[in-house]
C-alpha cells in the first residue's frame, strides 16, 4: 500500500465498540467490495468496502470478515478469510496478503483462505442465534448493481431461512460518525496533501489554461505525496461552470476576468479530504466578485464559530439559512419581501444556495454519521457555504474540514489560504 502502516489498535478498538451494540450470541459477516469491470478484461481501481476496512484495516478484494464475540471457542470470535495467492497470480498481479500480514494489520489472530469460509460459517450458524449482515444504507445511495454483501444476503436467506437477521448499517452509522484520534490524524494527512496541491497549483493558473490541465497539476501533487489520487471526481470549474454544483467535465479554457472554482480532496489510507477554493483567473478579484466572495466567507466563519458539542443539527442548519438570507439581501439578490412571503418548503435563499452546509467526512467523502441529533466531539465535518449567480457567471463555494473539539472546532484545512487577499498574494507567486 502507498500509505504508512496504521496502528492495528484502531481496528481492535473499532471491533470492541461495535460489539457493545450486538444482541447476545450474534454473528457478523462483512464482505469486501467487488473488483468492478470496465471493458473487455479491464477493471476499475479497487476501492475497499469502508465498513470492512473500519473493522479490519484489510485493503484487498475477496476478503470476508466474520465476528462472533460470544463464540465458545476463542478462534471463532474473530476470523478473516482472504484470497489465496498462487504462482500464476503472483506473476500477473504480484503477491497478495499473507496470513501473517493480515494478522499484523488487523490484530485478528485467526486467518483462513476463502475456501474455508462455507464450512466454518455453516458450523457457526448452527450455534448462533442472530446474524448481522451489512448493506449500504446511505441516504444518497442509488446503485443498481448488487454488491457482494447484497448477494450474500440472498444466499444466506435461501440456505438459512429460519435464522433471525439483523441490520449492521445502523450500528456502523453510529460508530463511524465519531472519529478516533488515529482516524483524525489520517484525515489531517489527506488535508495536508490537498493543501500542498492547492499551494503548488494556484500560482500556475492563468487565462487560457484548460481546466483539465489544472486537474493534471493537482493530480500530480497528490500522487507524489502517497495519495491514491482524488477522493472523488474533481471539480475544476471556470466561469459559468462554477455555478454547476457537480461539474466534472473539466474541459473548458479558463476565461480572463472570471473565477475558477476547485473542489478537490486527496484520499489517503482510504480517508478523504474535501476542500473548495475559488480564485480569480486574472489574479485579482473584481469588486463584485470580492463582494460575493466575502459574503460566502462570512457565512463560513459564522458557521465555524457556531459549531460546538451539544448543538442540534437542526439549529445549526436554521442559523445558516438566516445568515445566507442576510448576505443575499446585502448583495441585492433577494429582498426582505421575498423572505417574508416565501413558502416554508421553498426558502427564497435556495435560488442562490441550493445545497447543504455540512456533511460528515472520513472513510467516505460523504461519510456515515448522525445528521439529525446533536453535534458531538470528534465528529469530522465539512463547512461549505456557497452563492451561485449564474447570470453574473459568479459561483463561489468555500469549504473547510473541521473536527469538533470539546469547546469548538479544529480547522484541519487551516494551511490552505482562504482570505481574498491571501488568494491574490498566492497567485502573484509565479
Amino acid at each position: 500500500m502507498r500509505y504508512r502502516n496504521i496502528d492495528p489498535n484502531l481496528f481492535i478498538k473499532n471491533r470492541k465498540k461495535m460489539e457493545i451494540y450486538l444482541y447476545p450470541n450474534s454473528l457478523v459477516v462483512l464482505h469486501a467490495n467487488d473488483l468492478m469491470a470496465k471493458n473487455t478484461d479491464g477493471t476499475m481501481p479497487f476501492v475497499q468496502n469502508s465498513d470492512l476496512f473500519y473493522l479490519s484495516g484489510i485493503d484487498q478484494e475477496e476478503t470476508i470478515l466474520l465476528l462472533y464475540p460470544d463464540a465458545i471457542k476463542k478462534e471463532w470470535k474473530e476470523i478473516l478469510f482472504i484470497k489465496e495467492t498462487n504462482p500464476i497470480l503472483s506473476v500477473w498481479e504480484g503477491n497478495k496478503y499473507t496470513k501473517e500480514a493480515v494478522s499484523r494489520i488487523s490484530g485478528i489472530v485467526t486467518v483462513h483462505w476463502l475456501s474455508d469460509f462455507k464450512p466454518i460459517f455453516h458450523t457457526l450458524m448452527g450455534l448462533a442465534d442472530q446474524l448481522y449482515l451489512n448493506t449500504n444504507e446511505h441516504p444518497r445511495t442509488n446503485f443498481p448493481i448488487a454488491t457482494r454483501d447484497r448477494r450474500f444476503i440472498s444466499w444466506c436467506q435461501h440456505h438459512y431461512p429460519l435464522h433471525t437477521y439483523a441490520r449492521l448499517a445502523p450500528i456502523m452509522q453510529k460508530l463511524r460518525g465519531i472519529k478516533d484520534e488515529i482516524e483524525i490524524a489520517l484525515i489531517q494527512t489527506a488535508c495536508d496533501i490537498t493543501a500542498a496541491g492547492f499551494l503548488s497549483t494556484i500560482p500556475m493558473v492563468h487565462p487560457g489554461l484548460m481546466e483539465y490541465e489544472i486537474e493534471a497539476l493537482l493530480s500530480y501533487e497528490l500522487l507524489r505525496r502517497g495519495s491514491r489520487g482524488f477522493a472523488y471526481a474533481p471539480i475544476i470549474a471556470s466561469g459559468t461552470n462554477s455555478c454547476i454544483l457537480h461539474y466534472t467535465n473539466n474541459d473548458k479554457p479558463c476565461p480572463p476576468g472570471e473565477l475558477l472554482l476547485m473542489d478537490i480532496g486527496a484520499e489517503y489510507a482510504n480517508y478523504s479530504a474535501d476542500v473548495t477554493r475559488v480564485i480569480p483567473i486574472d489574479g485579482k478579484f473584481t469588486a463584485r466578485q470580492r463582494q460575493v466572495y466575502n459574503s460566502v466567507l462570512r457565512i463560513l466563519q459564522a458557521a465555524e464559530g457556531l459549531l460546538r458539542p451539544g448543538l442540534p443539527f437542526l439549529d445549526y442548519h436554521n442559523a445558516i439559512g438566516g445568515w445566507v438570507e442576510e448576505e443575499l439581501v446585502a448583495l441585492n439578490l433577494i429582498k426582505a419581501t421575498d423572505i417574508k412571503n416565501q413558502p416554508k418548503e421553498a426558502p427564497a435563499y435556495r435560488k442562490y444556495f441550493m445545497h447543504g452546509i455540512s456533511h460528515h467526512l472520513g472513510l467516505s467523502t460523504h461519510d456515515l454519521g448522525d445528521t439529525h441529533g446533536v453535534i458531538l466531539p470528534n465528529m469530522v465535518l465539512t463547512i461549505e457555504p456557497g452563492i451561485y449567480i449564474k447570470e453574473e457567471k459568479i459561483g463561489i463555494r468555500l469549504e473547510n474540514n473541521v473536527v469538533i473539539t470539546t469547546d469548538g472546532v479544529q480547522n484541519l484545512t487551516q494551511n490552505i489560504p482562504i482570505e481574498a487577499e491571501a488568494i491574490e498574494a498566492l497567485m502573484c507567486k509565479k
Side-chain angles (χ1 to χ4, degrees):
M1 299 304 167
R2 297 183 183 185
Y3 51 86
R4 297 183 297 275
N5 291 335
I6 300 171
D7 186 342
N9 283 312
L10 170 64
F11 311 114
I12 293 169
K13 285 188 289 184
N14 289 346
R15 294 193 294 273
K16 290 297 182 185
K17 287 188 287 188
M18 186 207 65
E19 288 177 16
I20 296 170
Y21 294 96
L22 301 179
Y23 289 113
N25 200 32
S26 292
L27 267 177
V28 179
V29 177
L30 298 96
H31 284 72
N33 279 341
D34 284 306
L35 193 60
M36 301 299 292
K38 290 175 74 175
N39 292 296
T40 60
D41 60 346
T43 59
M44 302 288 286
F46 177 69
V47 177
Q48 185 57 286
N49 180 316
S50 53
D51 287 329
L52 185 142
F53 187 84
Y54 178 85
L55 293 170
S56 72
I58 300 304
D59 209 351
Q60 181 172 284
E61 72 279 8
E62 297 183 45
T63 299
I64 302 175
L65 173 63
L66 187 153
L67 302 172
Y68 188 4
D70 296 332
I72 56 177
K73 292 184 179 181
K74 187 176 180 180
E75 62 266 28
W76 287 347
K77 290 180 181 293
E78 298 182 331
I79 310 174
L80 272 163
F81 299 86
I82 60 169
K83 184 177 184 177
E84 185 173 7
T85 192
N86 59 62
I88 295 175
L89 191 64
S90 296
V91 169
W92 286 94
E93 299 181 15
N95 291 324
K96 297 294 182 179
Y97 282 133
T98 64
K99 291 181 179 180
E100 292 76 18
V102 166
S103 287
R104 186 172 62 252
I105 292 166
S106 66
I108 293 175
V109 175
T110 307
V111 182
H112 290 277
W113 302 127
L114 270 179
S115 56
D116 295 330
F117 174 73
K118 284 188 178 179
I120 292 174
F121 179 69
H122 182 70
T123 296
L124 300 185
M125 281 292 276
L127 301 172
D129 294 325
Q130 302 231 34
L131 177 61
Y132 282 85
L133 296 177
N134 199 34
T135 52
N136 183 355
E137 297 183 18
H138 193 282
R140 296 188 183 184
T141 301
N142 184 26
F143 298 113
I145 300 172
T147 62
R148 282 179 177 264
D149 276 331
R150 178 72 70 178
R151 299 195 301 272
F152 183 70
I153 290 171
S154 298
W155 181 88
C156 249
Q157 291 176 333
H158 175 74
H159 286 85
Y160 302 95
L162 297 182
H163 277 72
T164 300
Y165 292 90
R167 295 160 52 224
L168 186 63
I171 298 174
M172 300 309 296
Q173 174 93 354
K174 192 184 301 286
L175 294 179
R176 281 177 49 190
I178 310 298
K179 275 31 179 205
D180 185 271
E181 293 299 328
I182 297 173
E183 293 184 284
I184 293 170
L186 293 168
I187 298 170
Q188 180 68 75
T189 299
C191 289
D192 291 343
I193 294 172
T194 305
F198 274 117
L199 291 169
S200 176
T201 302
I202 286 175
M204 299 184 186
V205 173
H206 57 80
L209 195 65
M210 299 299 292
E211 293 166 344
Y212 57 73
E213 292 182 274
I214 298 165
E215 178 182 347
L217 292 168
L218 288 163
S219 179
Y220 168 71
E221 296 297 339
L222 305 191
L223 290 168
R224 68 190 287 259
R225 289 173 168 83
S227 168
R228 193 158 46 186
F230 296 111
Y232 52 93
I235 299 169
I236 314 295
S238 63
T240 305
N241 297 330
S242 64
C243 296
I244 303 172
L245 299 184
H246 286 168
Y247 172 81
T248 56
N249 288 343
N250 303 345
D251 60 358
K252 300 295 188 296
C254 293
E258 296 184 16
L259 299 169
L260 176 70
L261 183 153
M262 295 175 287
D263 185 339
I264 68 153
E267 178 268 358
Y268 182 78
N270 291 302
Y271 286 85
S272 297
D274 183 4
V275 184
T276 309
R277 291 294 185 266
V278 176
I279 66 174
I281 293 166
D282 282 341
K284 290 285 184 181
F285 291 101
T286 66
R288 178 61 169 173
Q289 289 168 351
R290 183 184 289 268
Q291 184 186 28
V292 180
Y293 188 98
N294 285 335
S295 286
V296 176
L297 182 57
R298 281 193 292 271
I299 297 168
L300 185 148
Q301 291 168 337
E304 195 169 293
L306 180 64
L307 283 171
R308 64 185 185 279
L311 175 70
F313 274 100
L314 181 60
D315 291 353
Y316 173 53
H317 290 295
N318 288 340
I320 298 298
W323 293 327
V324 175
E325 287 174 345
E326 290 178 13
E327 295 294 345
L328 293 180
V329 169
L331 292 169
N332 293 317
L333 293 171
I334 63 175
K335 296 179 172 61
T337 53
D338 296 326
I339 299 170
K340 182 179 179 181
N341 298 326
Q342 66 189 1
K344 185 177 181 180
E345 66 280 2
Y349 75 80
R350 283 295 185 189
K351 180 179 178 181
Y352 298 100
F353 175 42
M354 55 291 284
H355 56 78
I357 183 67
S358 293
H359 59 75
H360 288 272
L361 185 69
L363 281 171
S364 298
T365 304
H366 294 147
D367 204 17
L368 298 181
D370 179 24
T371 56
H372 302 289
V374 299
I375 293 166
L376 297 171
N378 281 25
M379 284 183 171
V380 177
L381 303 173
T382 63
I383 308 175
E384 49 181 307
I387 293 176
Y388 310 90
I389 316 169
K390 190 174 183 179
E391 59 273 18
E392 298 183 38
K393 299 181 181 179
I394 294 177
I396 294 176
R397 177 168 66 254
L398 300 175
E399 181 177 16
N400 281 344
N401 303 162
V402 303
V403 56
I404 306 300
T405 63
T406 54
D407 58 357
V409 302
Q410 174 191 348
N411 183 3
L412 303 177
T413 45
Q414 61 184 346
N415 294 329
I416 308 175
I418 196 169
E419 299 282 349
E421 295 77 9
I423 293 292
E424 290 177 337
L426 182 59
M427 293 196 74
C428 289
K429 296 180 179 180
K430 303 295 185 185

